[in-house]
Amino acid sequence: MHLVYPAVLAALLFCTGLYGVLARRNAILVLMSVELMLNAVNLNLVAFDVWLRDELHAGQALTLFTIAIAAAEIGIGLAIVLLVHRNRGTADLDRLRDLREDATDPRTADATDREQKAEAAS
């Protein structure tokens, strides 16, 4: 088997994932693009393991670790996205860049008014 075919396929997958990370605004699609990039790395690891005829199969072992890390990343990332969606009502990354609460929120406005009145009284 030639090394060029899986290397080119992995490069295309990685570029597609990179485009998805840079161009998408939905958090779930960004997570899927990161998974696509990790799968391209896995393909390269296995292809080079076969090409080098490694007796320890280090490329395949590293691929298993990468799959485990990817599964953990997706689990935690999805939990964060769902929590943010529940609190903010959107998974749009442009709207989530500013994660602090709005100053016009009555809960925070009352607290700042109390602090200003306490400073003025002292």
Side-chain angles (χ1 to χ4, degrees), residues 1-119:
M1 176 174 90
H2 295 288
L3 183 63
V4 175
Y5 299 131
V8 168
L9 179 62
L12 289 174
L13 283 174
F14 192 85
C15 290
T16 304
L18 185 64
Y19 174 74
V21 167
L22 295 176
R24 297 292 178 192
R25 297 294 174 233
N26 190 346
I28 294 175
L29 291 178
V30 169
L31 287 174
M32 287 174 57
S33 297
V34 169
E35 286 294 319
L36 196 61
M37 292 168 62
L38 287 172
N39 284 331
V41 170
N42 288 340
L43 181 61
N44 264 335
L45 284 170
V46 171
F48 276 98
D49 183 48
V50 169
W51 186 64
L52 293 173
R53 299 179 198 271
D54 186 18
E55 293 179 11
L56 296 175
H57 299 295
Q60 293 178 15
L62 285 174
T63 298
L64 289 176
F65 285 119
T66 308
I67 290 171
I69 289 170
E73 175 256 334
I74 268 300
I76 292 171
L78 226 75
I80 290 171
V81 167
L82 289 175
L83 183 68
V84 167
H85 188 316
R86 183 182 302 159
N87 289 337
R88 299 282 178 147
T90 184
D92 188 14
L93 292 179
D94 285 337
R95 292 186 179 177
L96 298 177
R97 290 184 193 249
D98 187 21
L99 291 178
R100 63 183 168 86
E101 291 191 22
D102 200 14
T104 59
D105 189 11
R107 293 173 288 175
T108 58
D110 291 339
T112 55
D113 287 339
R114 279 186 253 136
E115 290 174 6
Q116 290 174 353
K117 288 178 184 177
E119 287 177 9

